[in-house]
């Protein structure tokens, strides 16, 4: 059992490097996505074990729609299949499953699966697992501004898709890239970042634990003097 000094409430991960992982092995990019699912399982189980309350995962960006159609199709099929496949484990482990993003761009069948999963797991409370699908930070802020204006309101946070979810305490990005790629632009205002060269399919529990220890060593000041 891990004994962390300080546990983040909300950990978010930009799961990057699946394509390069596959390429290194002379395989098609989609094999990297398949293997990446194992890493998702590993970090989800770790969050439940360590008492992390929110885990959010950037799975597909608005910009990712511009990838080759075959890769997009495989990814979408994989998402639906994995959701169905994880159902029993979610119930057993008390995982509430949430999808956030531009749902209008998803297929009817995937939206049906998502709705079913979200409704069936809504009462679970050990961990909230958020999958960002067809999401971008600029899109989020724009849709929030439109809805806020229509409501004659002035509190934008209420209209972001993340309303009610605490901002991420820790954001991890794998594969050596050190950028946000249009992820949670508003919500990451005071998030701690950890970047690792490890490709997502190779990111497992031990390294995850290392990032939690790194987080615990950070001094978060939020602009104040301590
Ligand atoms: C992350 O891996 C998964 C998605 C963006 C869907 P990539 O597919 O971006 O893998 P690389 O970055 O090309 O290696
Ligand atoms: C960011 O990865 C999106 C996800 C991990 C879902 P990308 O691979 O799309 O980002 P860029 O293109 O390298 O910035
Ligand atoms: Mg990438």
């Amino acid at each position: 059992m891990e004994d962390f000094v300080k546990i983040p409430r909300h950990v978010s991960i930009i799961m990057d490097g699946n394509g390069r992982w596959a390429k290194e092995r002379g395989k098609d990019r989609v094999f990297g996505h398949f293997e990446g699912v194992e890493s998702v399982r590993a970090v989800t189980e770790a969050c439940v074990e360590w008492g992390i309350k929110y885990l959010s995962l950037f799975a597909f960006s608005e910009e990712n729609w511009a990838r080759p159609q075959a890769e997009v199709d495989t990814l979408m099929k994989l998402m639906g299949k994995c959701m169905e496949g994880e159902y029993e484990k979610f119930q057993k482990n008390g995982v509430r499953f949430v999808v956030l993003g531009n749902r209008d761009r998803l297929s009817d069948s995937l939206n049906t699966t998502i709705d079913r999963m979200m409704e069936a797991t809504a009462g679970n409370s050990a961990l909230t697992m958020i999958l960002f699908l067809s999401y971008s930070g600029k899109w989020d802020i724009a849709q929030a501004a439109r809805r806020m204006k229509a409501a004659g309101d002035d509190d934008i946070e209420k209209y972001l898709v993340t309303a009610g979810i605490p901002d991420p305490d820790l954001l991890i990005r794998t594969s050596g890239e050190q950028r946000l790629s249009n992820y949670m632009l508003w919500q990451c205002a005071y998030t701690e970042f950890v970047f690792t060269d490890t490709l997502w399919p190779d990111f497992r529990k031990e390294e995850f634990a290392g990032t939690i220890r790194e987080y615990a060593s950070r001094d978060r000041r939020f602009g104040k003097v301590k």
Side-chain angles (χ1 to χ4, degrees), residues 14-16 58-61 64 67 173 179 181:
I14 300 179
M15 310 182 288
D16 201 8
F58 199 11
F60 195 88
S61 72
N64 289 150
R67 290 190 177 195
R173 182 165 187 157
R179 52 177 172 259
S181 299

